[in-house]
């Protein structure tokens, strides 16, 4: 059996993350964990931020357990911050698993076009997203470096106040809705 791999999809809405995650799932026999599918199934048209973070955390824990069992895993929910990606890179390393980052980038115009088509053709699988939300997300997104993507950059130490990435991860992705 090959060394398990944690695949991280990185990008803003509408860039093709889930499409590629489905390809990885089939080609590599990976467990695909797509947050939006879970949020949609549990909350329908709502998209509560607190529940979203908890669902991400639960999916990460499932994914890490699957890595422990020797399975390939795809985490499919954007991972906008370097800290999120670093925490997951470290979690993979702690399990002697490979980690492959996949970055998806499109122009704002093309993302808007794709999101409009998705809303029109598959509204049960998505939520409306305003231009203002998209612009705010563009501002919040931390573009990964080339070294982060190819694995040549070392994993940064955890942020101040955290003794480990595991501690940071459990804080970032809480175990329940408060």
């Amino acid at each position: 059996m090959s060394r398990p791999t944690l695949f991280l999809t990185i990008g803003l809405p509408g860039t093709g993350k889930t499409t590629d995650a489905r390809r990885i799932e089939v080609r590599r026999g990976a467990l695909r964990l797509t947050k939006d599918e879970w949020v949609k199934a549990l909350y329908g048209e709502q998209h509560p931020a607190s529940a979203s973070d908890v669902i991400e955390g639960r999916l990460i824990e499932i994914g890490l357990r699957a890595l422990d069992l020797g399975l390939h895993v795809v985490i499919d929910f954007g991972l906008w911050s370097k800290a999120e990606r670093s925490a997951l890179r470290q979690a993979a390393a702690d399990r002697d698993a490979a980690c492959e980052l996949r970055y998806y980038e499109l122009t704002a115009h093309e993302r808007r076009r794709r999101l409009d088509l998705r809303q029109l053709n598959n509204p049960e699988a998505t939520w409306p997203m305003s231009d203002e939300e998209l612009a705010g997300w563009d501002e919040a997104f931390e573009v990964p470096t080339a070294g982060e993507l190819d694995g040549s950059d070392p994993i940064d130490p955890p942020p101040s106040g955290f003794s480990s990435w595991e501690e940071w991860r459990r804080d970032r992705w809480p175990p329940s809705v408060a």
Side-chain angles (χ1 to χ4, degrees):
M1 186 170 192
S2 68
R3 182 176 173 209
T5 300
L6 178 62
F7 297 91
L8 304 178
T9 64
I10 303 164
L12 292 161
T15 55
K17 296 179 306 297
T18 299
T19 299
D20 196 40
R22 288 181 177 130
R23 283 188 203 113
I24 297 167
E25 175 185 31
V26 171
R27 289 181 183 154
R28 297 295 299 271
L31 173 63
R32 178 177 55 88
L33 300 169
T34 300
K35 177 190 72 173
D36 286 353
E37 292 173 356
W38 285 84
V39 173
K40 198 69 167 173
L42 293 170
Y43 292 96
E45 294 304 312
Q46 300 174 28
H47 199 263
S50 62
S52 182
D53 290 346
V54 171
I55 290 169
E56 285 182 9
R58 302 308 324 158
L59 293 176
I60 288 167
E61 293 306 314
I62 290 167
L64 296 179
R65 178 65 183 131
L67 284 178
D68 289 338
L69 295 171
L71 302 171
H72 301 302
V73 175
V74 183
I75 300 291
D76 175 29
F77 42 82
L79 302 167
W80 293 0
S81 77
K82 183 175 184 181
E84 291 171 329
R85 299 185 297 264
S86 294
L88 294 176
R89 288 175 63 203
Q90 185 64 59
D94 291 346
R95 289 158 176 78
D96 197 32
C99 188
E100 190 173 313
L101 283 66
R102 303 268 181 112
Y103 175 47
Y104 309 86
E105 182 179 26
L106 292 171
T107 65
H109 175 76
E110 180 60 14
R111 287 195 329 265
R112 172 83 274 164
R113 187 189 72 75
R114 286 179 174 206
L115 292 168
D116 290 345
L117 280 175
R118 185 166 59 186
Q119 186 66 44
L120 179 68
N121 297 325
N122 200 8
E124 68 280 353
T126 191
W127 297 268
M129 296 175 214
S130 71
D131 290 339
E132 292 77 23
E133 286 174 310
L134 295 176
W137 297 337
D138 283 348
E139 295 277 325
F141 184 77
E142 296 176 22
V143 175
T145 65
E148 188 182 359
L149 292 171
D150 69 17
S152 63
D153 279 354
I155 299 169
D156 292 335
S160 178
F162 295 94
S163 62
S164 69
W165 276 114
E166 182 175 349
E167 181 185 354
W168 182 91
R169 192 177 77 240
R170 293 184 191 285
D171 183 72
R172 164 61 183 91
W173 291 293
S176 63
V177 176

